[in-house]
Amino acid sequence: MHPTTQMLENARERVTFPIEELTKLIYVNEEIYETFMKAQKIIANEPTIRNHPDYHNWSRKQQIIKSYEKLRIMHQHFNLANAVHWAPLLSIFQGTTPTAVSFAMTVPALRFLGTDEQFNLWGPKFLTMEIVAAYAQTEIGHGSDVQNLETTATYDPQSNDFILHTPSVSAVKFWPGELGFLSNYALVYAKLIFNGKNKGVHPFMVQIRDNFTHKTLKGVTVGDIGPKLGYSTKDNGFLAFDNYRIPLNSMLARYVRIENGQFSRHGNEKISYASMMVSRQLIIFIYPRMAAQALTVAIRYSITRQQFTNDKGVENSVIEYQTQQDKLLPRLATCYGMIFTGIRIMQLVDDNFHRVQKKDFSTLQQSHAILSAIKAYSSQWVVDTTEWCRLSCGGHGYAHYSGIPAVYFDTAPNVTLEGENQVMYLQVARYLLKVLQYAEKNPEKVPFYFSFVLQIKDTLNNKDLSNINTQLGYLLKLSLTIQLIQVGKRIKDLMNTGKTFQQVWNQHVGIHLLSLAQRYAEYFIYLVFQEYISNANQSVKDILQSLCDLYCVQTILDNSSTLIESGQITQEQLKSLNELKIELFTKIKPQAIGLVEAFNFNDNALRTCIGCHDGKPYEYIYDWATKENSVNKVPQAVIDLMGTKIKPKL
């Protein structure tokens, strides 16, 4: 057996929990797991679409063409209109998945904002991919500030239709995925002008390309915006209209409509949150699994990579160094918290959707707040974790052949898209302050995952921290509680000086609000982690509790200033937490290989040569560099330049 293969096998033998029990928790149910495994197998075994070592030497055009070849083949095997079928592809597809925007954003918006007649008209065509529709909201001049979008849809009472128009460069739709050349429709968000009055921003289902020739229709200007950081195969596009007429039924009309020349509103306008929830939910559910890919590569490589001899003259695996454990193990622990949180949020969103369909909006605001908090927290965490995985692999982690840089580039855009993270956090903070008011005046309105506001007095009066190592969850709640009270008091005090609420919010407490929202995200992840531990098979409870404890300890140590400044913990207690962290390293390190392999990524999905199941990192990286690297076929121009044009002049 190859020496590095033996190292991995030895590590696997030291795992003391049944890996398959964690796999069941990670993949929720049999359908999701079987679909994921089938997709991995199809992509790995089909030569025309399998992940290719030379991929990052290809031009962007070549990468895009390959992504559409994959889409065509995968469409033959799966129902890509079903998120259970296409969502797993996001983490194992080399390059982004075409039609993900159409299915994850446009279809839910059509379902929740359109009438039954509108959904029946367009919905079936999405399923057959006769329609692929971009979600055209963002403009060059406005992103998160939806209410100030400039594109107009003016109702013409003479012809009973709308005139869609882009009045300025800043009004050009810019960034929507799949708009550049894939979509033949777009869900366009525009200001409705009715009888000369602005009736707010509303969605319009608009055909932009011919159904048969795919040529751009007259009055429409559309194309791809160019290369970006990440998402190289996603055709993010621009879109402009020149007095482009669209029929009356283009406006999604479940909650607003024009009938007999009259404009009317129906229901709760905040339903628009619901359609955005699907894409944010997927970011939370899918992308931590891509961080798990990076962790799988980094931990396998850390076992097989040997550097520097011990006192017996034998080289150590780098996983044995405490500094390497510090890079990887806290992030591995948090990864499990993120995975469970993604599943729980999927359940919360599904519950909210069922309520909304019955016109029950009681959980809409809390679902929006939780989604916003975790979308912001998890998307940044995935990027940071991937970068630490790259760093933990030294120089080889820097190579695309490691598989880690691709994860970074495929996840970095999520920090900005589907709600810029700081904007998301500010919305969470606003809701937390509202819930604090509920606790004082209407405690029955406080949702379960915000019930800590009902326990403020008990939380602050609990002074028993004699064994701080058993109070980790309480410390997270305490830090959150203190920050919420401090922010609320700060806003009140500043307003008492004559400042307006808007001045205080924008100019004086922004940093505090972001921190408050982050503390809530951390506490929510802890609550979900504990739910999963309590319901887990007994055989994996111990390792899951160790992971949860490490998540808590690292989170507290990273953000200990609130607890220290408020006098809640001492320097000695902080020292105790650091000692507990090292103890947890000792418990978790032997289990690390089992914890990453519970995700069951095959080598093709990992796109790696340094983190393969059988080891052999050096053999594979040399083989890829020498046999799979098309750049080694030196262009004649380089030979001519070096051989004849430079040397004679030196």
Side-chain angles (χ1 to χ4, degrees):
M1 187 179 291
H2 191 278
T4 56
T5 307
Q6 187 66 60
M7 289 177 195
L8 288 172
E9 288 302 314
N10 292 343
R12 291 174 181 125
E13 289 174 4
R14 290 190 286 270
V15 175
T16 58
F17 65 87
I19 293 175
E20 65 276 5
E21 287 299 326
L22 284 189
T23 302
K24 291 177 185 177
L25 289 177
I26 289 167
Y27 289 101
V28 190
N29 60 49
E30 197 70 23
E31 182 185 8
I32 292 176
Y33 179 65
E34 291 301 325
T35 302
F36 173 74
M37 296 302 290
K38 179 182 176 182
Q40 281 199 119
K41 186 175 181 181
I42 290 171
I43 293 175
N45 294 338
E46 174 59 56
T48 60
I49 65 170
R50 75 186 314 273
N51 296 334
H52 200 286
D54 202 40
Y55 180 81
H56 294 284
N57 279 330
W58 299 352
S59 70
R60 183 169 175 243
K61 285 184 179 180
Q62 289 175 296
Q63 292 178 349
I64 289 170
I65 291 169
K66 182 61 68 173
S67 71
Y68 287 117
E69 288 179 5
K70 288 184 181 181
L71 174 66
R72 179 179 54 78
I73 291 174
M74 299 308 287
H75 191 58
Q76 296 169 1
H77 293 277
F78 298 100
N79 173 15
L80 295 183
N82 182 345
V84 171
H85 283 219
W86 65 257
L89 301 181
L90 294 174
S91 62
I92 56 177
F93 222 66
Q94 196 167 30
T96 52
T97 310
T99 72
V101 171
S102 186
F103 286 131
M105 297 185 68
T106 309
V107 171
L110 177 60
R111 185 183 300 278
F112 288 103
L113 303 180
T115 63
D116 291 342
E117 292 78 13
Q118 287 174 317
F119 188 78
N120 291 335
L121 173 64
W122 292 307
K125 295 179 181 179
F126 279 91
L127 305 185
T128 59
M129 294 177 65
E130 291 177 67
I131 290 179
V132 177
Y135 190 88
Q137 177 174 292
T138 299
E139 297 175 353
I140 289 181
H142 292 90
S144 301
D145 186 7
V146 176
Q147 292 309 309
N148 282 311
L149 294 177
E150 297 178 66
T151 301
T152 58
T154 303
Y155 175 68
D156 183 347
Q158 300 300 318
S159 53
N160 199 30
D161 61 8
F162 299 102
I163 302 169
L164 204 56
H165 187 60
T166 303
S168 66
V169 171
S170 60
V172 173
K173 297 297 180 184
F174 210 82
W175 286 108
E178 296 161 14
L179 177 60
F181 40 76
L182 177 62
S183 294
N184 54 357
Y185 278 72
L187 188 64
V188 178
Y189 280 76
K191 285 191 299 188
L192 171 61
I193 307 300
F194 182 82
N195 287 345
K197 295 181 180 180
N198 179 3
K199 295 294 186 178
V201 173
H202 299 282
F204 297 80
M205 191 69 172
V206 181
Q207 185 172 359
I208 58 174
R209 290 184 172 99
D210 185 88
N211 286 335
F212 299 101
T213 66
H214 207 63
K215 289 183 178 179
T216 305
L217 297 178
K218 186 177 180 181
V220 176
T221 302
V222 64
D224 180 85
I225 66 171
K228 312 162 291 284
L229 189 156
Y231 279 20
S232 63
T233 61
K234 183 65 70 179
D235 56 325
N236 297 83
F238 58 82
L239 176 65
F241 300 99
D242 183 6
N243 294 305
Y244 184 64
R245 287 191 177 269
I246 56 176
L248 183 67
N249 77 333
S250 298
M251 184 174 71
L252 300 193
R254 183 174 291 275
Y255 297 98
V256 292
R257 65 191 64 161
I258 296 174
E259 292 178 312
N260 301 317
Q262 298 297 313
F263 173 83
S264 60
R265 300 179 188 272
H266 307 268
N268 190 331
E269 290 182 354
K270 292 181 179 178
I271 186 66
S272 58
Y273 289 154
S275 61
M276 292 287 289
M277 285 180 180
V278 174
S279 54
R280 290 175 186 165
Q281 168 199 319
L282 286 169
I283 289 172
I284 296 165
F285 182 78
I286 293 295
Y287 289 96
R289 295 162 192 268
M290 295 184 73
Q293 290 176 295
L295 284 162
T296 301
V297 171
I299 285 172
R300 282 179 177 169
Y301 182 69
S302 296
I303 292 169
T304 59
R305 175 75 167 178
Q306 294 179 298
Q307 292 288 286
F308 310 110
T309 55
N310 57 27
D311 48 13
K312 296 180 181 179
V314 178
E315 282 190 301
N316 289 316
S317 292
V318 296
I319 194 67
E320 299 301 324
Y321 293 104
Q322 192 180 84
T323 52
Q324 188 77 346
Q325 295 166 30
D326 194 36
K327 289 188 185 84
L328 297 174
L329 298 187
R331 289 166 179 83
L332 176 59
T334 304
C335 188
Y336 270 83
M338 290 292 184
I339 295 296
F340 298 149
T341 298
I343 298 168
R344 187 72 186 99
I345 281 179
M346 181 172 66
Q347 295 163 347
L348 289 174
V349 170
D350 285 347
D351 175 68
N352 180 64
F353 280 169
H354 287 124
R355 291 173 183 269
V356 165
Q357 287 178 318
K358 298 174 184 177
K359 297 188 177 181
D360 173 3
F361 302 100
S362 60
T363 62
L364 187 58
Q365 285 190 321
Q366 63 160 311
S367 298
H368 173 68
I370 292 170
L371 267 171
S372 298
I374 305 303
K375 182 272 172 185
Y377 194 86
S378 69
S379 60
Q380 186 62 60
W381 174 83
V382 169
V383 174
D384 293 343
T385 293
T386 303
E387 176 64 0
W388 276 108
C389 288
R390 185 187 70 77
L391 293 171
S392 73
C393 294
H396 292 320
Y398 189 70
H400 263 302
Y401 290 160
S402 71
I404 296 176
V407 175
Y408 181 91
F409 286 120
D410 286 346
T411 59
N414 293 331
V415 173
T416 303
L417 60 79
E418 302 316 315
E420 194 276 335
N421 281 1
Q422 290 195 355
V423 174
M424 294 290 95
Y425 278 141
L426 290 174
Q427 292 178 5
V428 176
R430 190 182 294 273
Y431 185 73
L432 286 167
L433 291 167
K434 181 185 289 188
V435 169
L436 182 59
Q437 291 179 334
Y438 288 161
E440 297 169 355
K441 299 175 181 178
N442 305 98
E444 71 281 358
K445 287 188 175 183
V446 176
F448 172 75
Y449 283 113
F450 295 86
S451 61
F452 75 95
V453 299
L454 300 174
Q455 305 152 12
I456 287 177
K457 191 175 290 186
D458 291 341
T459 301
L460 296 177
N461 290 338
N462 180 12
K463 301 295 182 181
D464 182 18
L465 287 175
S466 53
N467 185 359
I468 197 170
N469 293 355
T470 64
Q471 299 282 334
L472 301 176
Y474 164 71
L475 290 175
L476 291 176
K477 181 166 73 169
L478 179 60
S479 181
L480 169 61
T481 301
I482 291 170
Q483 287 201 20
L484 178 58
I485 293 171
Q486 288 177 343
V487 169
K489 183 177 184 303
R490 186 176 179 84
I491 291 172
K492 186 176 180 180
D493 290 347
L494 286 166
M495 289 182 67
N496 286 338
T497 67
K499 292 180 172 65
T500 67
F501 177 79
Q502 211 63 32
Q503 285 176 316
V504 173
W505 189 269
N506 292 336
Q507 300 170 24
H508 297 279
V509 296
I511 295 172
H512 304 284
L513 295 169
L514 295 183
S515 180
L516 169 63
Q518 289 163 355
R519 299 298 80 77
Y520 176 73
E522 291 160 354
Y523 182 58
F524 180 84
I525 292 166
Y526 162 75
L527 292 177
V528 175
F529 219 145
Q530 287 299 311
E531 287 177 5
Y532 270 80
I533 292 170
S534 64
N535 294 322
N537 186 286
Q538 189 64 40
S539 60
V540 293
K541 281 183 184 286
D542 285 348
I543 185 60
L544 288 176
Q545 190 61 59
S546 293
L547 292 171
C548 185
D549 288 349
L550 181 54
Y551 160 73
C552 290
V553 170
Q554 189 66 57
T555 301
I556 294 164
L557 291 174
D558 286 344
N559 304 283
S560 58
S561 59
T562 298
L563 297 173
I564 294 172
E565 290 170 5
S566 60
Q568 297 291 334
I569 62 173
T570 65
Q571 291 293 333
E572 280 301 310
Q573 289 171 321
L574 203 62
K575 180 181 176 183
S576 175
L577 289 173
N578 274 297
E579 290 171 351
L580 175 60
K581 174 180 168 179
I582 303 309
E583 290 176 20
L584 290 167
F585 283 0
T586 304
K587 286 184 180 179
I588 294 171
K589 176 177 68 72
Q591 314 300 327
I593 187 70
L595 290 167
V596 293
E597 293 191 345
F599 287 90
N600 255 344
F601 293 113
N602 65 21
D603 290 347
N604 183 70
L606 293 174
R607 295 163 279 183
T608 186
C609 62
I610 67 170
C612 294
H613 188 270
D614 62 351
K616 305 179 186 177
Y618 308 142
E619 288 82 357
Y620 286 138
I621 198 167
Y622 183 68
D623 184 65
W624 285 19
T626 57
K627 297 178 182 177
E628 303 289 355
N629 183 3
S630 61
V631 173
N632 281 324
K633 298 172 183 176
V634 182
Q636 187 62 41
V638 174
I639 296 172
D640 292 343
L641 182 65
M642 298 306 295
T644 63
K645 295 183 181 178
I646 292 182
K647 288 183 180 179
K649 296 182 181 181
L650 293 179

